[in-house]
Amino acid sequence: MAYVNVKDWSVEQVMYWLKGLDNVILQYQAVFLNNGVKGHQLLNFRADDLDNLGIKKLGHQEIILEAVEHLRHFHYELDKENLQMLALKLSCTANSLYKELLLIDEKCDSLKTQVMSDVHNIIAAAKPLVLWLDRAPFTGDKDYIDSKRDLLSLSFEMAYIAHRGVFSENPVPTIKKICDKFAKIADHIIQEVCDPMILQPASLDLAKLKKKEQELGFYIMPNYHPIHQIVDIKFGSPAHGSSKIEEGDEIVQVNYQTVVGWQAKKVMLLLQEVSPEIVLTLKKRPRHSKVYGQIYMKPYRLPSRKRSTEQWSKWTENLPSPRLLPMDLPHIKIIQSEEEIHNVEAELSSSDSEPPDSPLEGNFRMYPVKPRPILQRRNTITGTTPTNKRPTTSIEEPTSKTFSISGGRAHELPLTEDKIEKNTEPVERSLEQFSDDQASGVGA
């Protein structure tokens, strides 16, 4: 991403920038050279400064101050210029004039000079907003198209009424209504539009081109303001083959020479005179709907070891590098009795959970023991065991032996075949009854 820093311009760069203005300004190059005007002084120029330099003609002052204003706006507002910020400026100026007109009698036929100046500020704030809405990617949305159409119609109506002056009917209430409409359109863009592209600022990008038969394949839109916008890219031209040049981009530099504030014909002459390979610095509008897209950020200088002797920051001047310093602690003598020492040794030997003083001594864990959860029994419903999992009962086992109790003791008695047959009958009956009950339960 490219970066243009007007503040660091030298006297020679300021002189070369003046060549791109109107031809009547060329006579003042020697004045700028003799006074050593640099970039930071050029950005702060006012009408009084030009008077002190010997530039007395108002028309010449207006040409220089207008170009400086465009240069100042480009230098300071590039990283802040987005659709939401432009709408916010328009809303503030419109609301300011609306509240001012509330204090003026509506039957007044003439407008004050301050009101005329505020009308000019509103139209000047609406122009860049319309320019943003007139380019991609905002040209495909109906909401943006309607907002652009309304802003243009309101601007023409306000300018017409203000210029007519005393010949217009009821200028104060009409201008007040137009200010209210301006504020509503701007507030709609700020508060109700959910498109993340309104937050993305413009960015700078470099594009390299090679001339083909002394042409680049694009035109610069004729404009009263020194804004060099690319239009009508020819098919098959070098500009068409470059993926970084699109219609609507603004030319900021030609071979690293800043042309902001120049006349369009001077820019075209510079494009024709330069070598076949051209490097263009372009100001591009956002082209995608990602929130974190090409966000313009000014680069900053990092301190290096080679420049450590320079005072690059007042906070880090002559600061030593951090290092460890030895600390002399007083010797503390601890007196303990033999019984206390013996008790402490016994506690250390008996406690197995405490780790040793050194992690390298002994085979101990280097991490705390993970507590195990307490085992809990599940709440289950007890019942009869299924017959397929219950072992089969032998009829002979319970009937093979009988016992007689006499004197509190059990004695084993031998069984005969008659007794065995009698003992097995109740068991067989119980089994048949169990099978019948189970069959009836399954059927139910």
Side-chain angles (χ1 to χ4, degrees), residues 14-28:
V14 174
M15 293 287 297
Y16 201 88
W17 177 77
L18 289 174
K19 293 180 180 179
L21 305 184
D22 198 281
N23 293 330
V24 297
I25 308 299
L26 298 178
Q27 57 182 323
Y28 302 112

Side-chain angles (χ1 to χ4, degrees), residues 305-324:
R305 296 182 179 179
K306 295 180 181 179
R307 303 180 65 239
S308 59
T309 57
E310 300 180 7
Q311 297 180 2
W312 56 273
S313 177
K314 64 180 181 179
W315 302 107
T316 57
E317 182 181 0
N318 299 326
L319 288 179
S321 58
R323 57 181 178 175
L324 296 176

